């Protein structure tokens, strides 16, 4: 049996190029003691993976050149040499970017395809969902009555942030997105009170029009002009949770910082970055609260599905371009 897997050949400078990568064929490995072999069904591609393609020191180790890349994946166990996981079980793990993966049993989390579609465990009920939950409720310390602004609001994380805020009693939820179609989706399907297309004019002006009374919480997925605009509209005691800054990931020079940071003195505002890996203790609470919302339809989600391992790279580049609505998934 042949396993196809994506390797990083060279570290991208600026926007990643196809020649930085290669789809490589290798033999399907045999699981050793305590290991399982998984045939991946769905793969995740996420903005943070761009950082792992660089050699710069970060919160997670860079991808190794000439070796298979990694990412979230969910699939079926087709061979097991470990107790507790049997052939036919479905598991979540982090050896994506390949068709088959061998991993230690303790690095696999069993999931139930009868409780939710397998792909949901990579998104709304997976790492992206927990990111939204932890960032809003813990890092941003959301409380009932807060006005919330979310950038990248039609993405996997942002769309969930806005809906959780509404379900938790936000006074107003505003989102930004990169197309008029996504803006309509935020308001008509996800229940945002207002949304705007950041390409249609200065973000600061559009945010002030959408939130004339200011915002108490800003969930940042974009950085750049969005962060500056949020600081400009921040109410007294406002909180900013920095999840990502996709607008600067491919920059070759450092991006200028917000020019209005002094306003945090006036508002007693707070900016805090966070990583979902620091909040896995919230996982049981997250599943217990969000799972029923998903099952009942109170919390809606979208997936952009790209088929075929050969299109894994294009799906990732699509995330950086903002092509996806909701979670970008690769179906094998």
């Amino acid at each position: 049996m042949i396993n196809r897997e994506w390797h990083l050949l060279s570290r991208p400078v600026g926007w990643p190029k196809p020649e930085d990568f290669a789809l490589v064929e290798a033999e399907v490995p045999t699981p050793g003691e305590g290991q399982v072999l998984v045939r991946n069904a769905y793969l995740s591609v996420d903005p943070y993976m761009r950082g792992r393609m660089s050699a710069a020191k970060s919160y997670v180790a860079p991808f190794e050149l000439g070796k298979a890349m990694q990412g979230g994946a969910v699939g079926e166990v087709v061979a097991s040499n470990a107790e507790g996981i049997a052939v036919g079980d479905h598991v979540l793990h982090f050896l994506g970017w390949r068709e088959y993966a061998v991993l230690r049993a303790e690095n696999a989390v069993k999931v139930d395809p009868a409780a939710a579609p397998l792909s949901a465990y990579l998104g709304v009920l997976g790492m992206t969902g927990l990111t939204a939950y932890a960032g809003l409720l813990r890092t941003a310390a959301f409380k009932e009555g807060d006005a919330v602004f979310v950038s990248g609001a039609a993405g996997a994380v942002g769309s969930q942030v806005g809906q959780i805020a509404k379900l938790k009693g936000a006074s107003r939820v505003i989102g930004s997105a990169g197309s008029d179609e996504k803006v309509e989706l935020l308001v008509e399907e996800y229940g945002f009170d207002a949304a705007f297309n950041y390409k249609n004019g200065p973000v600061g002006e559009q945010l002030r029009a959408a939130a004339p009374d200011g915002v108490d919480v800003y969930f940042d997925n974009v950085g750049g002009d969005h962060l500056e605009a949020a600081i400009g509209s921040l109410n007294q005691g406002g909180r900013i949770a920095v999840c990502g800054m996709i607008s600067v990931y491919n920059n070759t020079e450092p991006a200028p910082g917000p020019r209005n940071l002094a306003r945090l003195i006036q508002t007693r505002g707070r900016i805090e970055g966070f990583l979902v890996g620091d909040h896995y203790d919230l996982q049981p609470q997250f599943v217990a609260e969000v799972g029923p919302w998903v099952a009942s339809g109170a919390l809606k989600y979208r997936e952009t599905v790209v088929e075929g391992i050969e299109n894994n790279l294009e799906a990732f580049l699509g995330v950086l371009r903002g092509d996806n609505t909701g979670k970008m998934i690769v179906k094998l």
Side-chain angles (χ1 to χ4, degrees), residues 149-199:
F149 171 44
V150 187
S151 59
V157 173
S159 60
Q160 205 156 340
V161 171
Q163 291 183 83
I164 292 173
K166 288 292 290 184
L167 289 163
K168 288 281 193 178
S171 60
R172 188 167 178 81
V173 174
I174 304 99
S176 71
S179 73
D180 293 341
E181 292 79 11
K182 289 181 179 180
V183 166
E184 182 179 357
L185 173 70
L186 292 176
V187 175
E188 298 298 328
E189 184 168 331
Y190 292 155
F192 282 57
D193 296 288
F196 60 86
N197 182 346
Y198 66 82
K199 297 176 182 177

Side-chain angles (χ1 to χ4, degrees), residues 38 41 74-77 85-86 88-92 109-113 118:
V38 181
V74 63
E76 182 180 356
V77 175
I85 297 182
D89 285 344
H90 291 83
V91 297
L92 174 69
V109 177
K110 287 199 284 189
V111 297
D112 183 1
L118 281 178

Side-chain angles (χ1 to χ4, degrees), residues 56-279:
K57 186 177 180 180
S58 185
Y59 59 87
V60 62
F63 292 134
E64 294 185 58
L65 294 179
K67 294 188 177 181
M69 294 185 292
Q70 301 162 0
V74 63
E76 182 180 356
V77 175
V78 294
S80 177
N81 200 7
E83 293 185 7
I85 297 182
V87 171
D89 285 344
H90 291 83
V91 297
L92 174 69
H93 62 91
F94 287 93
L95 291 182
W97 288 85
R98 67 199 80 185
E99 292 175 309
Y100 290 86
V102 164
L103 60 147
R104 294 201 59 79
E106 59 263 30
N107 295 328
V109 177
K110 287 199 284 189
V111 297
D112 183 1
L118 281 178
S119 58
Y121 294 103
L122 295 176
V124 67
L125 293 178
M127 185 177 70
T128 51
L130 180 59
T131 299
Y133 189 85
L136 177 67
L137 301 182
R138 178 175 280 174
T139 305
F142 170 86
K143 59 184 184 296
E144 186 177 354
D146 280 343
V148 178
F149 171 44
V150 187
S151 59
V157 173
S159 60
Q160 205 156 340
V161 171
Q163 291 183 83
I164 292 173
K166 288 292 290 184
L167 289 163
K168 288 281 193 178
S171 60
R172 188 167 178 81
V173 174
I174 304 99
S176 71
S179 73
D180 293 341
E181 292 79 11
K182 289 181 179 180
V183 166
E184 182 179 357
L185 173 70
L186 292 176
V187 175
E188 298 298 328
E189 184 168 331
Y190 292 155
F192 282 57
D193 296 288
F196 60 86
N197 182 346
Y198 66 82
K199 297 176 182 177
N200 287 347
V203 175
E205 293 180 9
Q206 294 196 78
L207 178 58
R208 285 191 293 274
D213 297 323
V215 298
D216 303 295
V217 168
Y218 170 48
F219 194 103
D220 190 17
N221 290 306
V222 174
D225 54 357
H226 282 73
L227 178 56
E228 185 170 295
I231 293 171
S233 287
L234 203 64
N235 290 331
Q236 184 166 318
R239 291 87 65 204
I240 296 174
V242 181
C243 175
M245 293 191 174
I246 197 169
S247 70
V248 303
Y249 285 171
N250 294 303
N251 288 5
T252 56
E253 297 293 333
R259 297 166 295 180
N260 57 350
L261 282 173
R263 194 168 186 280
L264 296 175
I265 303 169
Q266 172 191 344
T267 62
R268 290 76 148 178
R270 170 170 63 83
I271 301 178
E272 183 177 347
F274 75 98
L275 297 174
V276 66
D278 296 332
H279 302 282

